[in-house]
Amino acid sequence: MRERPQAGEEQAGAEPRTGWFGLWDGFFAVSYLLTSVLLFISDDAQISHSIAIGALTLIVPWYAGLGRRLMINHLYGPRNVVFALGLVLLFCLTTAFGLIGAFALFAVAPMLIMSLPLTRAVVLLALVHLFPLVVVWVRSQELGSGGWGAVPISLLSFALSILLGLWIKRVTRQSRERGELIEELRRSRERVARLSHEAGISAERERLSQEIHDTLAQSLTSIISLVQAAESNVRDAPDQATRHLARAGQVARESLAEARGFVAALAPPTLREGSLIQAVRRQADGLAAETGLDVRTSIHGEEEPLPMPVNVVLLRSVQEAIANVRKHAARARTVDVEVTFEEETVRLLIRDDGEGFTPDDTHKGYGLRGMRARVAEINGTVTIDSRPGEGTAVEVNVPVVVASKEAAGG
């Protein structure tokens, strides 16, 4: 019969976890010591003591060098038979020179059951239980009452040995399975930790990309437009060119502050220096100064304090909508920016009278997709209404209840 290796044993350098087997090792040690003491204090001759204790002691290296590995790894093959026969031989030698050595059955029986299939183990157990009876009969020189009286005891010992061996085998198997389960849980925790780390890195990359798009990229686009406008007016309208350059410098300074802010995980400078409404007005004034459009800002309702993450999302939405007006709202003349504080929601509306576009095209641009993702994080919604030739309206709605809970939790 070819030996069956346990799963994972074929891997180079793989060592089985054997901590769970300590229960059986302890039982084996106690059985060996108890039997040795009984042999030592028995009334047999000194030479018989020595041979019996020597044979019993040989069981220890025989188990440690060969049997223990077979039991731990649950291997079944020719070595199991060699180990079992050697074990039976040493037990019979111990019992032949010291009948009290039959107590070693408490250790021998479980080892036979754990190292062999149950049928073969029971056959050998029957033989080792029969051997002490043979020793008694040989010593009594006759089949008298003493010899027959040991039969019930031997049968009871045989049954108890099987039950004890099966119980120890079950306990060690459960301990091994528990150890494997703990190891699997440890590996699962490591995988979860690794995946969480990777997800955190991905989320942080997404956050930084959105921040860069909503701040630095838009500001650089604005600066380029202002510089180009200044270049075209430097001869014919130097005052206008100077104003464009001054505005470009202001945008550059604000962009630098924005970059420092999100790198340091702080709120945008425009929100640290004032309220959301003031920040929205500055964005609208900046659009009017850069493009010459008629930008009208209106506030409806009473402004309520909102948590900083909600303020940041609303401000970034305004910045993205204004950036789209600057880049795509060709032939626009007016832009309306409205902030409405209602009983259950905060509503933000940016509307222009430019050429408009097909709403399906919003899924192609990163900016509007980023806006939707940001607003969804605070359970808000984004509605884009646009048709070619009829302008564009971007509406953002944020629940006030959710915002209030976040503020309280913060």
Side-chain angles (χ1 to χ4, degrees), residues 74-98:
H74 291 270
L75 302 175
Y76 297 105
R79 282 184 292 182
N80 295 67
V81 177
V82 172
F83 168 73
L85 293 178
L87 186 64
V88 170
L89 177 62
L90 291 174
F91 169 77
C92 292
L93 186 62
T94 300
T95 307
F97 288 89

Side-chain angles (χ1 to χ4, degrees), residues 314-346:
L314 293 174
L315 177 60
R316 296 300 187 221
S317 299
V318 171
Q319 290 175 328
E320 177 59 32
I322 287 178
N324 285 333
V325 171
R326 185 185 298 113
K327 291 185 293 185
H328 305 302
R331 301 180 183 178
R333 295 182 301 276
T334 61
V335 178
D336 292 312
V337 180
E338 299 179 5
V339 181
T340 304
F341 293 91
E342 299 177 349
E343 183 178 355
E344 297 183 354
T345 60
V346 178

Side-chain angles (χ1 to χ4, degrees), residues 38-276:
L38 292 175
L39 285 171
F40 185 76
I41 64 176
S42 65
D43 296 332
D44 295 332
Q46 186 66 32
I47 185 64
S48 298
H49 285 172
S50 301
I51 296 176
I53 294 176
L56 179 66
T57 303
L58 286 177
I59 294 179
V60 176
W62 186 250
Y63 158 73
L66 180 60
R68 192 173 189 273
R69 178 175 175 272
L70 300 176
M71 298 177 193
I72 290 175
N73 293 322
H74 291 270
L75 302 175
Y76 297 105
R79 282 184 292 182
N80 295 67
V81 177
V82 172
F83 168 73
L85 293 178
L87 186 64
V88 170
L89 177 62
L90 291 174
F91 169 77
C92 292
L93 186 62
T94 300
T95 307
F97 288 89
L99 187 60
I100 199 69
F103 275 94
L105 277 172
F106 287 105
V108 172
M111 284 194 285
L112 290 175
I113 291 179
M114 286 190 289
S115 60
L116 292 174
L118 184 59
T119 303
R120 298 181 183 180
V122 170
V123 172
L124 286 180
L125 279 176
L127 292 177
V128 296
H129 279 83
L130 181 62
F131 187 78
L133 290 178
V134 174
V135 173
V136 171
W137 289 336
V138 169
R139 288 186 178 182
S140 63
Q141 296 294 320
E142 60 182 359
L143 295 177
S145 59
W148 288 108
V151 173
I153 298 177
S154 181
L155 292 176
L156 179 61
S157 174
F158 175 65
L160 291 178
S161 297
I162 294 178
L163 292 177
L164 178 63
L166 291 176
W167 179 77
I168 293 179
K169 184 175 183 179
R170 178 182 178 183
V171 169
T172 54
R173 184 181 69 250
Q174 290 177 344
S175 300
R176 174 178 56 83
E177 292 173 351
R178 189 180 300 112
E180 293 173 352
L181 178 60
I182 293 174
E183 180 66 16
E184 179 63 27
L185 289 175
R186 184 187 64 81
R187 289 195 295 265
S188 299
R189 289 180 61 184
E190 291 178 353
R191 286 195 296 268
V192 170
R194 185 178 68 253
L195 293 175
S196 298
H197 178 67
E198 294 173 356
I201 293 176
S202 177
E204 184 64 12
R205 287 176 177 171
E206 180 68 18
R207 183 189 73 83
L208 290 176
S209 65
Q210 289 178 355
E211 292 285 354
I212 292 173
H213 178 273
D214 292 343
T215 56
L216 300 183
Q218 294 176 2
S219 298
L220 289 174
T221 301
S222 178
I223 292 172
I224 292 172
S225 300
L226 290 169
V227 171
Q228 290 175 345
E231 288 177 348
S232 63
N233 295 330
V234 69
R235 291 183 180 180
D236 300 333
D239 293 340
Q240 184 70 19
T242 301
R243 286 194 294 271
H244 286 316
L245 291 175
R247 177 59 184 167
Q250 181 183 353
V251 173
R253 287 189 294 272
E254 292 176 354
S255 299
L256 179 59
E258 289 277 2
R260 289 172 176 170
F262 75 73
V263 168
L266 299 175
T270 52
L271 289 176
R272 295 202 302 271
E273 297 169 0
S275 66
L276 173 66

